[in-house]
């Protein structure tokens, strides 16, 4: 099931009455398949309050299955493990799909549970891998697994790796794991598989199981409020990505929208997953481990205040291609963006350093971007340099800086004729030796000045 293709969210954007051809392209499937992966290993015969773990688990699961008869948008299936071979046989492939997915199979699941008897090992990894075959391929369903167990993997498998692989293949969503009367230290064994709940007693098991179904099946919505510097939800028109915190895949991308009253729109979300919400500002803002409460509306607030940086330059046409600026956060080396000269771009408020790819490069440090303001940076207009050669040769161009030191810019080797290009205003030196010269002492040195909007013609003999 290509889950990230149709994603897990839907949203409505209201355009003008003249808009045509609108459709919601990303939506949650209306129907759900739930596979119960049921532990029937020997340890399930252990006492639990006034009964056995297996008996309590069967009764509570049967009650839940019975209650779902009225929901025609949910299909159920039952897979058990550890119930076919005794523990002494060390059967690490002891799992079977007892009741497959079909409509109206509730009584069949309840009746089959009565005859499942604990015997052997706990092959969670293998059972989980086999469950991938239990879900019929149908993009109109979302697939959920609920694992009910009282022990950790006993067959040297890696259930975490299996779970991650199958989630990345969109076989099922992030699994729910319910531990029956387990020690707290085992939580780490299951957190890497999905969302773990520890049911310390029978009542807790019933509450957790019912809560998981409510979380999974009830309609859940959310709105993302992008806050400005004053904590007001005024920011918008930014791409927002809901990233699956387990697989790292983007489950949904949308361009943030606020209506005419300034309210962000409501999106329908799948609360089975936990998200890292990425606001694709420059630089991006991430809110990690966002858990959505099922069956209600969730408001997600993310501070992302922005301003605008405009970079301009007169006569930039003197350069043969568009001039760009490398943008860094002040004090950091990483390039966070490249912005064309003669353009405007929104950035998070802060201080930035610019490296403009003129000739030579122009450096502008500590450029501030303020909330809701535009800071225009004007780069000095270039001039033009014509180097006119009477012979072939080898040469280098230097800029003479304010302190009198020279800095190499580029090599310009002549094949005769002329070299012409745009260059920033300043003082320069060109060092050249003709290929006809019979020694280094015949090197020529030309010093000159280039002004904005003018052309410097330098003849090299």
């Amino acid at each position: 099931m290509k889950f990230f293709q149709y994603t897990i969210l839907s949203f409505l954007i209201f355009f003008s009455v003249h808009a045509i051809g609108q459709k919601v392209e990303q939506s949650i499937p209306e129907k759900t398949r739930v596979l119960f992966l049921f532990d029937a290993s020997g340890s399930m015969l252990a006492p639990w309050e006034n009964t056995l773990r297996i008996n309590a688990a069967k009764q509570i699961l049967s009650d839940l299955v019975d209650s779902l008869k009225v929901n025609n948008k949910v299909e159920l299936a039952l897979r058990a493990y550890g119930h076919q071979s005794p523990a002494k046989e060390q059967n690490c492939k002891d799992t079977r799909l007892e009741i497959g997915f079909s409509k109206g199979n509730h009584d069949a699941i309840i009746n089959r549970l009565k005859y499942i008897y604990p015997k052997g090992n706990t092959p969670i990894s293998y059972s989980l891998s086999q469950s991938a075959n239990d879900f019929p391929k149908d993009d109109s369903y979302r697939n959920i697994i609920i694992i009910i167990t009282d022990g950790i993997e006993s067959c040297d498998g890696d259930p975490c790796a299996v779970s991650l692989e199958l989630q990345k293949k969109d076989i099922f969503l992030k699994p729910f794991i319910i531990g029956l009367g387990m020690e707290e230290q085992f939580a780490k064994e299951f957190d890497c598989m999905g969302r773990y709940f520890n049911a310390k007693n029978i009542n807790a098991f019933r509450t957790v199981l019912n809560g998981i179904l409510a979380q999974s099946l009830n309609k859940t919505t959310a709105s993302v409020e992008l806050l400005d510097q004053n904590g007001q939800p005024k920011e918008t028109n930014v791409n927002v990505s809901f990233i699956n915190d387990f697989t790292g895949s983007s489950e949904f991308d949308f361009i943030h929208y606020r209506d005419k009253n300034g309210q962000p729109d409501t999106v329908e979300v799948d609360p089975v997953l936990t998200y890292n919400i990425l606001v694709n500002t420059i630089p991006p803002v991430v809110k990690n481990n966002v858990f959505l409460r099922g069956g209600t509306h969730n408001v997600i607030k993310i501070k992302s205040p922005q301003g605008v940086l405009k970079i301009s330059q007169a006569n930039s046409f003197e350069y043969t291609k568009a001039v760009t600026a490398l943008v860094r956060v002040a004090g950091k080396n990483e390039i966070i963006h490249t912005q064309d000269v003669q353009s405007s771009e929104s950035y998070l408020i802060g201080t930035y350093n610019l490296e403009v790819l003129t000739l030579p490069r122009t450096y502008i440090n500590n450029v501030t971007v303020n909330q809701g303001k535009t800071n225009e940076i004007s780069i000095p207009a270039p001039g033009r340099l014509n180097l006119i050669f009477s012979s072939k040769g080898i040469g280098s161009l230097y800029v003479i800086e304010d302190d009198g030191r020279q800095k190499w810019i580029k090599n310009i080797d002549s094949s005769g004729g002329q070299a012409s290009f745009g260059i920033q205003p300043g003082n320069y030196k060109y060092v050249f030796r003709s290929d006809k010269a019979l020694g280094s002492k015949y090197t020529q040195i030309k010093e000159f000045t280039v002004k904005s909007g003018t052309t410097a013609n330098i003849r090299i003999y």
Side-chain angles (χ1 to χ4, degrees):
M1 179 176 57
K2 292 295 180 184
F3 226 82
F4 60 89
Q5 290 182 350
Y6 56 71
T7 73
I8 56 167
L9 304 171
S10 66
F11 67 100
L12 296 176
I13 301 180
F14 299 97
F15 295 100
S16 72
V17 294
H18 301 291
I20 59 174
Q22 300 178 82
K23 66 176 182 177
V24 176
E25 296 189 359
Q26 303 176 93
S27 59
I28 303 171
E30 292 186 357
K31 295 179 286 187
T32 301
R33 288 194 172 108
V34 180
L35 173 67
F36 296 105
L37 187 53
F38 190 76
D39 185 350
S41 62
S43 59
M44 288 289 283
L45 291 172
W48 203 22
E49 297 183 12
N50 59 351
T51 184
L52 302 179
R53 286 178 183 167
I54 187 66
N55 293 338
K58 285 181 179 182
Q59 183 60 55
I60 292 173
L61 182 55
S62 295
D63 292 344
L64 180 70
V65 170
D66 186 67
S67 71
L68 290 172
K69 288 180 178 179
V70 297
N71 193 330
N72 59 10
K73 293 185 177 180
V74 178
E75 288 188 14
L76 307 176
L78 173 67
R79 172 177 283 275
Y81 60 84
H83 63 306
Q84 299 177 97
S85 302
K88 64 181 181 180
E89 293 184 10
Q90 295 292 307
N91 184 356
C92 286
K93 293 185 177 181
D94 184 357
T95 183
R96 184 169 65 195
L97 178 64
E98 297 294 340
I99 302 294
F101 287 105
S102 65
K103 297 183 183 298
N105 65 354
H106 305 77
D107 288 337
I109 291 175
I110 293 170
N111 290 332
R112 188 69 192 93
L113 279 169
K114 296 176 181 177
Y115 297 99
I116 292 177
Y117 187 81
K119 290 183 180 179
N121 291 338
T122 310
I124 297 177
S125 181
Y126 181 75
S127 302
L128 195 60
S129 67
Q130 294 303 296
S131 70
N133 304 315
D134 298 342
F135 294 97
K137 183 174 177 55
D138 189 338
D139 289 347
S140 65
Y141 284 84
R142 54 205 277 266
N143 296 338
I144 293 173
I145 285 186
I146 300 176
I147 303 172
I148 300 170
T149 183
D150 76 333
I152 60 175
E153 171 74 31
S154 65
C155 288
D156 296 325
D158 188 348
C160 295
V162 173
S163 179
L164 179 59
E165 178 185 3
L166 296 180
Q167 288 181 67
K168 284 185 173 181
K169 291 180 178 179
D170 301 306
I171 304 300
F172 50 70
L173 294 174
K174 189 174 183 177
F176 295 101
I177 306 101
I178 306 176
L180 305 183
M182 296 177 64
E183 299 295 332
E184 290 291 344
Q185 66 263 28
F186 292 131
K188 293 182 179 180
E189 301 284 342
F190 294 107
D191 279 341
C192 59
M193 291 174 58
R195 188 177 297 174
Y196 174 72
F197 300 87
N198 188 11
K200 294 182 178 180
N201 53 54
I202 293 175
N203 284 335
F205 175 43
R206 187 184 301 276
T207 300
V208 167
L209 189 56
N210 287 327
I212 288 174
L213 264 294
Q215 176 79 8
S216 303
L217 304 180
N218 292 338
K219 183 177 180 178
T220 304
T221 58
S223 59
V224 178
E225 293 187 351
L226 301 181
L227 308 180
D228 64 13
Q229 191 175 19
N230 300 317
Q232 299 299 311
K234 299 294 182 66
E235 299 291 346
T236 192
N237 297 331
V238 179
N239 178 271
V240 178
S241 303
F242 281 66
I243 307 298
N244 185 323
D245 79 328
F246 196 71
T247 66
S249 300
S250 178
E251 300 291 346
F252 184 66
D253 292 276
F254 70 95
I255 306 299
H256 189 270
Y257 172 81
R258 288 168 56 216
D259 63 22
K260 61 182 180 180
N261 297 317
Q263 298 299 314
D265 61 344
T266 294
V267 296
E268 186 182 352
V269 294
D270 195 322
V272 171
L273 299 176
T274 305
Y275 302 97
N276 296 330
I277 298 181
L278 175 64
V279 182
N280 292 284
T281 49
I282 305 172
V285 179
V286 183
K287 186 167 186 175
N288 291 317
N289 301 316
V290 177
F291 171 80
L292 301 168
R293 186 178 176 187
T296 188
H297 181 69
N298 299 259
V299 177
I300 304 163
K301 298 184 178 184
I302 305 176
K303 197 167 186 178
S304 49
Q306 297 179 90
V308 174
L309 177 60
K310 181 178 181 180
I311 305 176
S312 60
Q313 182 184 40
N315 299 338
S316 60
F317 57 82
E318 291 286 3
Y319 293 107
T320 56
K321 60 182 180 179
V323 178
T324 59
L326 309 180
V327 183
R328 297 176 173 88
V329 175
K332 297 185 178 180
N333 292 325
E334 179 188 4
I335 298 171
I336 62 166
H337 190 56
T338 58
Q339 180 177 341
D340 289 340
V341 170
Q342 316 292 37
S343 72
S344 298
E345 189 72 79
S346 295
Y347 292 84
L348 287 181
I349 62 172
T351 305
Y352 300 90
N353 292 340
L354 307 182
E355 181 181 353
V356 188
L357 303 183
T358 52
L359 182 69
R361 298 189 178 193
T362 302
Y363 296 88
I364 306 174
N365 294 328
N366 299 317
V367 176
T368 58
V369 175
N370 297 313
Q371 171 74 58
K373 305 291 185 181
T374 297
N375 187 355
E376 182 173 0
I377 302 299
S378 181
I379 310 299
R384 176 159 287 274
L385 174 61
N386 288 333
L387 295 174
I388 304 165
F389 299 94
S390 60
S391 64
K392 298 179 181 179
I394 300 170
S396 295
L397 181 64
Y398 299 84
V399 62
I400 307 301
E401 298 182 330
D402 291 341
D403 61 2
R405 298 184 182 187
Q406 68 181 35
K407 182 179 179 180
W408 176 88
I409 299 176
K410 62 184 298 186
N411 292 328
I412 304 174
D413 296 341
S414 165
S415 57
Q418 179 175 307
S420 180
F421 48 85
I423 191 169
Q424 289 302 108
N427 297 315
Y428 295 92
K429 175 193 288 187
Y430 183 62
V431 179
F432 176 80
R433 179 177 60 78
S434 170
D435 61 356
K436 295 179 181 179
L438 300 178
S440 299
K441 62 184 178 181
Y442 298 109
T443 297
Q444 299 181 54
I445 298 175
K446 298 285 186 177
E447 294 186 356
F448 54 92
T449 297
V450 176
K451 297 180 179 180
S452 293
T454 65
T455 299
N457 294 305
I458 308 300
R459 294 185 178 277
I460 309 297
Y461 298 99

